[in-house]
Amino acid sequence: MTTKVLSYTLNSLVSKLIESGFVWTLPVILSKSTDPLWPDPGASIEKRIEAEIYGHQVRMTTSMIIHKMVFCSLLHPKLFIVSPNVRIEKRERQKTGWHAYEFTQLDFEIQNGDFETVKKMVEKLLQDLIHDVRRDLYDDTKNNGLLKHIELPKKGFPIFDAQELQRSHGQYWEDEIIRSIKTPVWVRNIPREFYDFEDTETGKWDNYDLFVPKYGEILSGAKREWEYEKIIRKMKRDGVNVDLYKELLYLAKEGKLAPSAGAGIGIERLVTWLCDAKNIERVQPFPKIPGVVLDL
Ligand code: AMP
Ligand code: MG
């Protein structure tokens, strides 16, 4: 059943995005500029997969954030990619049941977008998907019918501030949120990578995650930085190797990066939640469990 839901989910999301004017482009697998995944409180990478090709050092895609920013600025203002990501998660993450070392993001970006644009769009995509799965798919192994466990708010999904959650629940606020919420919720203002927009006056981050009950985060996104001085300052502050981001920095310096906002939805996580599955490996035909390499 999980495979059927996965196929249905991809078809639904992709069709709705195309209908609303998004261009579907193909993923990048090897490049010099992939996501540093640093600093991010949620990241836990054991190893980065690198290779030397044609005398150049490249990395396997950890996310297409850098390519998305460039594509959205120069080629098409609304785009998405069904993008494979390789992140060699620390093996202790095996026990979360929520991390795989290969997974797929539905990664989208909107020129001049903001949180409101993304919130409205994602909530509608999920509402329609859940409505259509309930209408079209039937699973006789579940007497209750599919998706009975899912509750959506009548109006917009609630919004929390990560710094406030941290103050009231301490460093493990995510566990508390996952246990206490009944519907999906947005969490905003999370300090992380240089490309998420940071308001230097208020100290607030214009970014957002979507959390679902019982499981956790299924989407991360942000408004992006586009100004050269700010990007380089943040990279240096965070100890990010500027040599890996030459083209992005060049475009920013030339004033060619456009303001944008977007997000990546973890497809396997979304399907795990939809199917109320025990863990993420139940929705991967060839599971990529941290620490485990299959013979196939
Ligand atoms: P990020 O921007 O790094 O948060 O990644 C975007 C989305 O990809 C997350 O919200 C998750 O849904 C998904 N994701 C990230 N890491 C993993 C992982 N190790 N296994 C499965 N899904 C993941
Ligand atoms: Mg995240």
Side-chain angles (χ1 to χ4, degrees), residues 87 89 98-100 103 105 217-220 264 266 269 280:
R87 301 186 187 174
E89 300 278 0
W98 194 230
H99 293 87
F103 61 94
Q105 287 198 46
E217 176 205 317
I218 61 165
L219 168 153
S220 279
R269 287 190 179 179
I280 197 165

Side-chain angles (χ1 to χ4, degrees), residues 40 42-43 87 174 190 192-193 208-209 211 217-221 264 269:
D40 180 344
R87 301 186 187 174
E174 287 196 19
I190 309 159
R192 55 189 179 205
E193 289 91 345
Y208 35 83
D209 280 0
F211 280 78
E217 176 205 317
I218 61 165
L219 168 153
S220 279
R269 287 190 179 179

